[in-house]
């Protein structure tokens, strides 16, 4: 969905490195989310934000941090990457009126060696 | 624990036939359910949703059925087309913000 963009689309990094995944949206939504997808496990919520002053942990936040720089931008950082953080990462947005209907970006495929 | 799950991880269907994808949930407090479609290399895409005060909702070639008695959700796709090949996820909205996703069903359409 071109309304939600993620950079980079693919990334290879080494154990211990700090990396940042970025997400931007043009949908004008207040709510933004970061998910992780692993084969056979569906999507799991890492962090979510209701607005620029509101950041909340999801079910698997350990080892991750986020920054909501503006309404349209929400970045995810891995402070010290480890191999089991190898996964597909998705950013999503939703409108306050329909929080269950989320719009996903194309994903970032991350490989930690 | 409470979770959303799908009955079968894979489904193979002949082009032109109807597809039925099933999902079981265990949280009786869930009030809103959503189906997503994920094509290869893309993010999940919203298909259709249904609130717990409804039993059925129809969209374009898709119908979602909700049976609260047995906590079962299904997605029916009419006249399945090659473009319907994808992974389908059901999700339940328990809180105002949080979606709990199932593991997904991979649908393959045979020509």
């Amino acid at each position: 969905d071109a309304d939600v963009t993620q950079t980079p689309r693919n990334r290879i990094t080494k154990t211990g490195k700090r990396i940042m995944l970025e997400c931007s949206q043009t949908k004008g939504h207040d709510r933004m989310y970061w998910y992780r997808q692993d084969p056979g496990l569906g999507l799991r919520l890492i962090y979510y934000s209701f607005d620029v002053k509101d950041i909340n942990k999801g079910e698997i936040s350990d080892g991750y941090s986020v920054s909501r720089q503006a309404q349209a931008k929400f970045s995810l950082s891995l402070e010290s990457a480890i191999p089991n953080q190898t996964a597909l990462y998705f950013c999503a947005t939703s409108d306050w009126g329909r929080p269950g209907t989320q719009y996903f970006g194309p994903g970032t495929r991350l490989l930690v060696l | 624990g409470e979770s959303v799950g799908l009955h079968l991880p894979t489904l193979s269907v002949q082009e032109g036939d109807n597809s039925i994808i099933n999902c079981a949930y265990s949280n009786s407090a869930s009030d809103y359910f959503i189906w997503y479609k994920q094509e290869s290399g893309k993010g999940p895409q919203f298909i259709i949703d249904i609130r717990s005060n409804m039993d059925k909702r129809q969209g374009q070639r898709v119908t979602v059925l909700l049976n609260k008695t047995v906590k079962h959700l299904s997605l029916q796709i009419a006249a399945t087309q090659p473009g319907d090949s994808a992974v389908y996820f059901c999700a339940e909205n328990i809180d105002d913000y949080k979606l709990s996703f199932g593991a997904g069903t991979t649908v393959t359409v045979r020509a």
Side-chain angles (χ1 to χ4, degrees):
Chain A
D1 190 334
D3 296 323
V4 184
T5 57
Q6 293 183 234
T7 57
R9 292 295 311 279
N10 295 278
R11 178 73 182 269
I12 300 174
T13 191
K14 295 182 179 179
T15 298
K17 294 292 187 180
R18 182 181 186 277
I19 66 165
M20 179 183 291
L21 309 181
E22 299 187 354
C23 175
S24 294
Q25 54 113 347
T26 59
K27 298 189 77 66
H29 290 166
D30 291 323
R31 301 183 175 199
M32 298 188 74
Y33 313 79
W34 274 105
Y35 289 91
R36 168 178 172 160
Q37 185 176 38
D38 297 277
L41 293 180
L43 293 102
R44 293 181 290 167
L45 184 63
I46 306 173
Y47 270 94
Y48 61 97
S49 169
F50 284 175
D51 62 42
V52 294
K53 299 179 181 179
D54 182 84
I55 302 290
N56 303 280
K57 293 182 177 181
E59 59 183 306
I60 54 164
S61 59
D62 287 348
Y64 302 94
S65 62
V66 291
S67 175
R68 185 83 184 265
Q69 301 95 324
Q71 186 203 35
K73 297 184 181 297
F74 193 36
S75 60
L76 176 72
S77 293
L78 285 69
E79 298 300 325
S80 180
I82 56 176
N84 75 1
Q85 290 178 313
T86 292
L88 189 54
Y89 290 85
F90 287 102
C91 174
T93 74
S94 69
D95 186 35
W96 70 270
R98 296 185 68 186
T101 305
Q102 298 185 6
Y103 297 86
F104 287 80
T108 294
R109 189 170 298 277
L110 175 65
L111 173 61
V112 183
L113 299 174
Chain B
E2 297 174 329
S3 63
V4 174
L6 290 165
H7 289 309
L8 294 173
T10 61
L11 176 66
S12 180
V13 60
Q14 186 71 37
E15 182 178 356
D17 288 351
N18 296 333
S19 303
I20 300 176
I21 306 166
N22 296 303
C23 179
Y25 67 95
S26 58
N27 190 338
S28 57
S30 297
D31 62 356
Y32 179 56
F33 303 87
I34 311 101
W35 281 99
Y36 284 87
K37 173 186 179 182
Q38 186 177 20
E39 297 175 276
S40 181
K42 297 183 179 181
Q45 181 181 11
F46 171 87
I47 302 174
I48 192 168
D49 58 4
I50 188 168
R51 294 203 173 274
S52 59
N53 61 353
M54 302 172 67
D55 298 321
K56 179 180 179 180
R57 190 168 188 218
Q58 290 183 294
Q60 186 176 10
R61 279 202 309 119
V62 295
T63 300
V64 56
L65 299 177
L66 176 62
N67 186 329
K68 295 179 287 294
T69 300
V70 295
K71 296 178 186 173
H72 183 267
L73 188 70
S74 68
L75 178 70
Q76 301 178 359
I77 305 173
T80 309
Q81 302 170 0
D84 295 326
S85 292
V87 180
Y88 291 82
F89 295 95
C90 64
E92 61 180 326
N93 184 195
I94 303 171
D95 297 310
D96 185 40
Y97 56 86
K98 188 175 177 179
L99 293 182
S100 177
F101 286 84
T105 291
T106 300
V107 173
T108 302
V109 180
R110 305 189 307 272

